[in-house]
Every structure is written in C-alpha cells, then in structure tokens.
Amino acid sequence: MKKLFSEGDTRVYRHQVEMADLAAFPNGLVHAVCSTFALARDMEWTSRLFVLEICDDDEEGIGTHLSIDHKSPAFPGEEIIFTARIESQHNHELLCTLEASVGDRLIATGRTGQKILKRNKIGQLLKQP
C-alpha cells in the first residue's frame, strides 16, 4: 500500500441523476427518483476513490461492507454530492462513512468497507468452484 489516511480525510464525487438511476425493476418504473441501488453504486465509488490512491500495482480493493439509510428523494437532473470520510484504516481494511446530499437536503447516509489485497489473492478468492 502506498499511503495511510487519517480519520476524517474526505473524498467527494458528484453525480447528476439520470433516467438510468431511477427506481425501476424488470416490471417497470416504481418511482421517478434516484434509486437506493444507484446511491449504493455511487457511495461505493466515492469510497473507492481512496482505494485508487492506496493500491500498489499488484493490489486491488474488494468490497466487504455496504449499508445505506435513504433519507429523501433526489430527482432527475439534480446533482448529488457524495462525501466519503475515513472512519478507520487498520492493516488492509478501510472503513468509510458517507453522506449524499442535494444542496442542503440530506439524501442518504451510509458506510462502506474495502480490503486491499494482492491481485493474485483476489483471483484465488473469486475462482469459481
């Protein structure tokens, strides 16, 4: 690993809500607002910004935890600002807390976990039986 982070360090990602982000399933649109699934994707990406800085060439991050509390809607065209904060970094595990907001409106909070492992170790773990 290239570096260690301090508790409270942040990374920010911005995403404009698009049609593909809306709450829909195979049977159709449920709500014309950003889905919890899309929030999960972007929360994980925001915390992964730390991982991209940490990994050596022979390392990669792998997700270990994701939780979300969806608080209010984000509508098509609105920009969601995702902020990841380092909660802790122990050995090869990175835990982040996250907030997603549109202006002053809190959209969601969450938490992610990632482990930094050697690429060959991940390959072994992900080998299909």
Side-chain angles (χ1 to χ4, degrees):
M1 287 192 316
K2 294 177 186 169
K3 67 191 266 186
L4 295 177
F5 293 102
S6 298
E7 185 178 323
D9 285 353
T10 62
R11 295 295 176 269
V12 174
Y13 171 66
R14 297 170 181 267
H15 178 77
Q16 187 171 359
V17 179
E18 303 171 355
M19 296 303 290
D21 300 320
L22 302 185
F25 291 97
N27 65 342
L29 182 68
V30 178
H31 307 292
V33 298
C34 187
S35 68
T36 306
F37 171 80
L39 290 171
R41 176 197 64 216
D42 292 340
M43 284 182 158
E44 189 156 3
W45 172 251
T46 307
S47 64
R48 184 167 167 75
L49 295 175
F50 287 109
V51 172
L52 296 174
E53 293 180 42
I54 292 174
C55 289
D56 290 327
D57 291 340
D58 64 340
E59 295 177 321
E60 181 56 84
I62 189 165
T64 60
H65 175 82
L66 173 64
S67 65
I68 298 172
D69 291 314
H70 201 155
K71 307 283 189 182
S72 66
F75 300 95
E78 289 186 320
E79 182 182 60
I80 303 175
I81 299 172
F82 295 88
T83 304
R85 283 183 180 77
I86 296 291
E87 180 181 317
S88 65
Q89 182 178 358
H90 296 288
N91 297 323
H92 294 279
E93 185 170 31
L94 182 68
L95 298 175
C96 293
T97 57
L98 289 109
E99 286 188 354
S101 58
V102 172
D104 292 335
R105 191 170 76 245
L106 182 64
I107 303 302
T109 59
R111 190 168 181 252
T112 62
Q114 301 251 346
K115 282 197 176 178
I116 310 304
L117 301 173
K118 298 291 185 186
R119 288 181 188 273
N120 61 359
K121 174 69 174 177
I122 292 174
Q124 292 168 2
L125 292 171
L126 300 181
K127 200 179 259 187
Q128 208 170 10

